[in-house]
Amino acid sequence: FLFCEEPEKVKGREALGTARKVSGLNAWLALQHDPDALSVSEFFLITIYQGFWIGWDTTDHQRRALIDHELSHCWSEEQLDKDLMPTGKILLSLLPHDLEEFHAIAERYGAWESGITAFAKALKSGQPGLFDGLDEEDAGIVEDPLAEGLQAVTLTTRSGPVTVTGEQLARQASRAAGAL
């Protein structure tokens, strides 16, 4: 995870977060000072706009949703040989969004396509008001955005698993807040 002072632009729009796969020379250069990661040849990097993260009106629910969103882009699977047997090599890739549509098209035509219909059903069954009407004390919201539910994230790299704990993420967020 990396906190950025300015939001990144994705297709001309400001993004609260991004996910990317880092490999090759860039991965090697990024990990030169980490003796535990010298055999890592690629990894995922998630950037978070710190203005959103530490914003006075940003809720822990929104922070968790952003982290979950960016992690949903990150995919790993074991490579298979020509006989469909596992090779032991882990392949990393980025997944696109499930839905890409313009607001204007949705306003004019509604759920005109099966992907839009599925997305609309997911929105209806989701928990958009999970903390509505509750203050942070009543809702049990804590400063560590990963304290409830997601305690750690384990990513599989070619050289093995890498785990990022809620505590590590909270430390990084504190450092970012102190830099302001």
Side-chain angles (χ1 to χ4, degrees), residues 86-151:
T87 65
K89 181 179 180 181
I90 302 297
L91 303 174
L92 301 182
S93 59
L94 291 172
L95 298 178
H97 294 110
D98 293 335
L99 176 68
E100 184 172 334
E101 185 56 274
F102 294 101
H103 294 125
I105 299 301
E107 287 174 355
R108 288 195 287 266
Y109 301 100
W112 65 273
E113 186 265 334
S114 63
I116 300 170
T117 303
F119 201 85
K121 286 180 183 176
L123 285 173
K124 285 182 181 177
S125 68
Q127 300 177 2
L130 186 62
F131 298 115
D132 288 353
L134 298 176
D135 61 24
E136 289 191 1
E137 186 176 308
D138 291 337
I141 297 174
V142 294
E143 285 300 310
D144 178 355
L146 296 179
E148 282 187 33
L150 191 62
Q151 294 295 318

Side-chain angles (χ1 to χ4, degrees), residues 8-28:
E8 291 193 53
K9 297 257 184 182
V10 176
K11 297 181 181 179
R13 301 177 82 177
E14 290 185 350
L16 299 177
T18 63
R20 61 176 52 95
K21 182 175 79 166
V22 180
S23 59
L25 180 60
N26 289 333
W28 184 81

Side-chain angles (χ1 to χ4, degrees), residues 54-72:
I54 63 174
W56 66 270
D57 60 344
T58 304
T59 66
D60 285 346
H61 181 78
Q62 290 171 310
R63 289 183 189 101
R64 282 191 295 274
L66 177 60
I67 295 295
D68 197 5
H69 173 95
E70 296 308 330
L71 287 172
S72 293

